[in-house]
Amino acid sequence: MAKRDDPETIGRRVQRLRRERELTQRQLAEPAYTPAYISTLEAGRVRPSDEALRHIAERLGVAFDELATGRPAHLATDLRLRLTGAQRTLATGEAGKAAEQYARLLAEAEEHELTDVRAEALLGLGECALETGELASGRQFFERSEQVLAEAPLPARVPALRGRAVSHYLAGELRYAVYLFESTLDELNRGGLHDPDALLLLYASVIGPYMDMGAHARAAQAAEFALALAPQAGDPALVARMHRSVARTLLAEGRIAEADASLAKAAELYRHLQLRTELANCHWMRGYVCAQNGELQRAEEELRAAQTMLSARRAALYTSQVAVELADVLHRRGKSEEAAGLLRQVLGDLSPERGAVHAAAAHRLLGIIAEDARDTEAAEEHYVRALSLLEHAGAAGDLADLCRLLGDLLRRTGRVEAALDAYRTGLGHRTAPGTTTLGPAPAQPPL
């Protein structure tokens, strides 16, 4: 039941409603209570029992909750329906419009002290900010959502925790993002809080950071847990997101057909749910799978579809990330000039604090294109920038390959000692494949 107002506030409310209905204190009191009790109650000198409030509410023709809390009847239900509408608006890619809806919901939830709706609205505003690439604002919204739910069980706080971790991941802070995911998973599993939706959300979300860190074994294990949890989950959009994430680990293991099948399941769920932004991300992942499998024409088609869908919905950061992968496919198809132009265009939207891993990938590819054009000075500059970005992000999965490229370039230009240093740096990042530097893996769910 909702928290009741203090006796004075309730008393003033009863008096106002009684006068609006032109009732006397005797008419309001009978037959169960006396006029003196109503007078004392209206003066705020007595805390009415639930029984008394229910009697008075019935006489006044209002809902019990409205009389006890001052909230209009059916307010919570109405706000819940509007939350669903805002979620649908965001899912179809209209992040700006969704943010306006969530902001109005937040204001009303704060006015009427509706904790759950307030937390959901803050969570929605955080997701809108991630969609538009405003990572710092998004993180603040997620942190506020966690604070609102500070007294709630951990599974209820998982969506906000996941949002905060993703904001750090997109900002290039891979190690901290993985720390947040792993510590939350550990707490859930060790504490026996085996909520399928919460666990599935975390396992699906940690796959990307694991892969970028080169922790392929942990990524594969997270994918296995996600697949095992999916039948127990109640949210089809969450299951679709899981299939999209799991495809990346299947691909890394050479299971191309299974990865493609997983993405097909995700796409079908997204189409059924009309989640346009998630469907765009599915095209993105399918383009990635095709590129890794050498199907470059199909990869280009899938990535262009993703780019068009995301750019139409003003998802700036994600659009830039897709553009980097599209540029790689264009280069491999012999369209290096178009690829370089695309990369230079998107680098303005990426930085160490915003899409660091993809910014590094853009510089790496520009370096390769420059090498092909025999511009070794420009190539070295791009490789060094990429190296700095990957070291800042802790993206060990890509560092070794980049160090090889830089070492080969330095060796060809006669700088053998510098080349050896680059090779040693790369080898250092390949000494412990499949692990992170964060210690033991988190506790596992009882599957």
Side-chain angles (χ1 to χ4, degrees):
M1 184 179 295
K3 183 180 177 182
R4 283 213 257 151
D5 284 334
D6 60 84
E8 288 186 15
T9 303
I10 292 174
R12 288 194 298 271
R13 189 176 299 129
V14 169
Q15 185 181 66
R16 174 178 59 79
L17 291 169
R18 178 180 63 79
R19 288 176 175 174
E20 286 176 0
R21 286 152 179 76
E22 298 181 352
L23 296 174
T24 66
Q25 290 180 337
R26 181 179 298 280
Q27 289 172 320
L28 185 59
E30 292 178 344
Y33 300 93
T34 66
Y37 176 75
I38 297 299
S39 176
T40 306
L41 187 154
E42 289 183 350
R45 294 197 296 270
V46 65
R47 177 176 290 278
S49 66
D50 284 356
E51 291 76 15
L53 278 182
R54 291 188 191 283
H55 166 81
I56 293 169
E58 184 178 352
R59 301 287 287 176
L60 291 170
V62 298
F64 169 80
D65 283 347
E66 183 175 355
L67 187 62
T69 66
R71 296 168 190 158
H74 310 301
L75 174 69
T77 303
D78 175 62
L79 292 181
R80 279 282 167 198
L81 287 171
R82 288 165 55 198
L83 268 175
T84 302
Q87 289 162 356
R88 175 67 63 183
T89 302
L90 176 58
T92 55
E94 299 180 76
K97 183 178 177 181
E100 293 173 2
Q101 293 174 320
Y102 281 122
R104 288 193 292 269
L105 284 162
L106 177 61
E108 291 185 53
E110 289 178 336
E111 178 186 351
H112 296 289
E113 299 180 356
L114 291 167
T115 301
D116 290 349
V117 177
R118 185 181 171 204
E120 287 283 347
L122 286 165
L123 186 66
L125 285 167
E127 295 289 351
C128 290
L130 290 189
E131 185 80 10
T132 55
E134 301 167 82
L135 303 182
S137 296
R139 192 174 306 141
Q140 290 172 1
F141 284 126
F142 291 129
E143 287 171 353
R144 287 174 61 190
S145 183
E146 286 182 70
Q147 291 165 5
V148 169
L149 296 173
E151 302 301 319
L154 180 57
R157 289 182 275 123
V158 161
L161 279 161
R162 178 258 175 195
R164 185 155 59 92
V166 169
S167 72
H168 284 288
Y169 170 48
L170 293 175
E173 300 163 10
L174 271 63
R175 294 186 190 282
Y176 187 62
V178 169
Y179 163 75
L180 288 175
F181 282 126
E182 290 193 338
S183 58
T184 307
L185 283 165
D186 197 63
E187 189 175 347
L188 283 169
N189 289 324
R190 290 189 187 280
L193 302 171
H194 302 124
D195 181 284
D197 282 0
L199 289 170
L200 181 60
L201 182 61
L202 292 169
Y203 280 122
S205 300
V206 77
I207 288 171
Y210 274 153
M211 294 294 287
D212 286 343
M213 289 184 72
H216 297 141
R218 288 200 186 184
Q221 187 177 56
E224 288 178 15
F225 289 146
L227 287 167
L229 286 161
Q232 305 171 43
D235 183 353
L238 183 54
V239 174
R241 177 183 287 170
M242 178 277 300
H243 278 299
R244 199 184 77 217
S245 298
V246 163
R248 191 171 176 185
T249 65
L250 294 172
L251 182 66
E253 295 172 353
R255 296 154 69 182
I256 304 294
E258 291 174 70
D260 202 44
S262 197
L263 287 168
K265 290 178 185 176
E268 182 59 32
L269 283 166
Y270 288 141
R271 286 192 193 94
H272 179 70
L273 295 168
Q274 296 184 326
L275 303 185
R276 306 291 295 273
T277 300
E278 296 289 1
L279 183 56
N281 287 331
C282 201
H283 280 294
W284 178 1
M285 193 66 206
R286 292 186 87 168
Y288 176 78
V289 169
C290 292
Q292 297 301 307
N293 199 33
E295 301 173 60
L296 298 182
Q297 181 176 345
R298 186 181 168 205
E300 181 179 343
E301 291 168 358
E302 294 282 359
L303 291 170
R304 286 195 187 278
Q307 185 185 39
T308 300
M309 294 175 76
L310 290 169
S311 61
R313 283 153 183 80
R314 299 182 177 85
L317 182 56
Y318 295 130
T319 304
S320 297
Q321 292 175 347
V322 171
V324 174
E325 298 195 23
L326 174 59
D328 180 57
V329 171
L330 292 172
H331 170 65
R332 289 167 65 185
R333 297 198 70 194
K335 306 175 184 179
S336 297
E337 188 174 335
E338 183 182 354
L342 187 57
L343 292 169
R344 284 191 285 268
Q345 180 182 335
V346 301
L347 270 176
D349 296 324
L350 300 170
S351 69
E353 293 75 34
R354 195 170 178 272
V357 174
H358 281 79
H363 280 296
R364 173 189 175 279
L365 185 51
L366 282 169
I368 291 172
I369 293 171
E371 269 205 89
D372 290 346
R374 303 188 185 282
D375 188 348
T376 55
E377 186 176 338
E380 182 180 347
E381 182 181 343
H382 284 300
Y383 289 152
V384 169
R385 286 187 182 181
L387 184 62
S388 174
L389 287 163
L390 291 175
E391 286 183 326
H392 173 78
D398 297 322
L399 264 167
D401 177 63
L402 182 63
C403 288
R404 178 188 60 78
L405 288 171
L406 179 59
D408 289 350
L409 174 66
L410 293 169
R411 180 173 53 81
R412 282 195 297 271
T413 54
R415 288 169 286 173
V416 178
E417 286 300 320
L420 287 171
D421 286 340
Y423 291 140
R424 290 189 193 102
T425 301
L427 286 170
H429 289 290
R430 294 189 65 84
T431 53
T435 64
T436 69
T437 58
L438 298 170
Q444 301 177 4
L447 298 175

